[in-house]
Amino acid sequence: MKNIVSEQSRVYLPIVENDQVYPVGRVFCVGRNYAEHSKEMGDDPERDPPFFFVKDASSVVPSAFSDVTRIAYPMATSQFEYEVELVVALGEGGRNLSLQQAREAVLGYAVGLDMTRRDLQAQAKKKGRPWEVGKSFDESAPISPISLKTDLLAGNVAKAEIGLKVNGDLKQISSVANLTWSIEEVICKLSEVFELRPGDLIMTGTPENVGVVVADDEMLAWVEHLGEIRISVTD
Ligand code: MN
């Protein structure tokens, strides 16, 4: 057999003010975790609870706070959309975690973008097919360095402003306090269907007013107390 040469390797995220790096395991995502976004997607937040999907870890693009990170406009779409999200990094795992265990499993937090090929996602939804083509593709998850959790930061993040601008224009603005399932609830519910492990990231969902970007657009995404990342889209 011919030797297989793979350029795929593990992804690491830097940790703020720390020499260690965080090895990314899996990337779990929550759909419809802000009521106003649920409505704009055509769902009834009273009737349709949030749910989970997964992005491949290879879609993560470590995005420094100080630089502009470039991502290429992806293949096969004409509706490339942003979703700013709070990302939670787990330092511990387990099954069927209690709220207390869920709190303790959080190592830190980051700012991320759940970039979406909305046209492909919409086609998949319509046909009852899996979402991967819309969600899990190269460079679809720019994520900032991780800020380690302290009790103070946990309290601040739970009610932090979350927002996104494109070319300086405000597009998304909300508060983490508007999450339908809180950070701890997300971890609890996820641990009822997957055994969680250190290295797992959770993208906790996006607030309302998602929209498209095209080549040469620059996004600024932030979560208060964590920082902001700048992501530009190239041809
Ligand atoms: Mn999302």
Side-chain angles (χ1 to χ4, degrees):
M1 192 187 84
K2 196 174 155 231
N3 280 339
I4 293 170
V5 178
S6 172
E7 291 175 1
Q8 303 197 59
S9 61
R10 192 178 263 287
V11 179
Y12 297 88
L13 288 172
I15 297 175
V16 175
E17 291 175 5
N18 194 292
D19 292 336
Q20 285 182 286
V21 290
Y22 183 85
V24 176
R26 297 170 293 182
V27 182
F28 294 104
C29 302
V30 189
R32 313 283 188 273
N33 206 16
Y34 288 81
E36 292 306 314
H37 173 61
S38 186
K39 287 181 199 162
E40 78 180 346
M41 289 287 114
D43 290 334
D44 175 356
E46 301 293 321
R47 202 190 55 223
D48 302 307
F51 56 88
F52 299 111
F53 62 94
V54 175
K55 277 180 187 280
D56 191 83
S58 66
S59 56
V60 172
V61 183
S63 306
F65 288 122
S66 50
D67 302 324
V68 177
T69 301
R70 287 173 177 75
I71 60 172
Y73 195 92
M75 303 166 63
T77 185
S78 53
Q79 196 179 5
F80 185 39
E81 295 202 351
Y82 49 77
E83 297 187 355
V84 63
E85 309 207 0
L86 168 69
V87 182
V88 176
L90 298 189
E92 292 171 36
R95 298 179 181 190
N96 299 311
L97 300 180
S98 66
L99 280 171
Q100 179 62 26
Q101 289 171 319
R103 245 187 301 279
E104 289 166 3
V106 176
L107 178 81
Y109 310 94
V111 187
L113 287 172
D114 171 14
M115 297 304 297
T116 302
R117 296 192 287 199
R118 191 75 68 199
D119 43 1
L120 299 188
Q121 182 200 25
Q123 287 167 22
K125 270 164 82 172
K126 202 167 157 191
K127 294 182 177 173
R129 290 179 180 162
W131 277 20
E132 279 87 349
V133 291
K135 287 290 191 179
S136 184
F137 54 93
D138 285 351
E139 302 187 315
S140 66
I143 296 178
S144 77
I146 293 168
S147 296
L148 292 176
K149 185 186 77 173
T150 61
D151 287 346
L152 178 65
L153 185 62
N156 284 336
V157 164
K159 50 184 193 301
E161 181 183 280
I162 179 170
L164 178 135
K165 291 181 180 178
V166 178
N167 304 328
D169 296 334
L170 184 64
K171 299 293 186 183
Q172 293 191 275
I173 185 88
S174 188
S175 167
V176 174
N178 293 330
L179 282 172
T180 302
W181 286 347
S182 69
I183 295 166
E184 289 79 16
E185 287 169 335
V186 164
I187 295 168
C188 285
K189 288 177 186 297
L190 195 55
S191 77
E192 291 168 4
V193 282
F194 296 100
E195 179 168 344
L196 298 177
R197 300 194 285 257
D200 288 338
L201 294 179
I202 305 171
M203 305 193 76
T204 55
T206 194
E208 64 274 21
N209 295 323
V210 299
V212 296
V213 281
V214 295
D216 297 329
D217 281 345
E218 184 176 303
M219 295 172 279
L220 175 69
W222 70 91
V223 173
E224 190 187 5
H225 306 291
L226 300 182
E228 56 186 39
I229 53 174
R230 291 175 181 276
I231 310 294
S232 73
V233 181
T234 64
D235 254 330

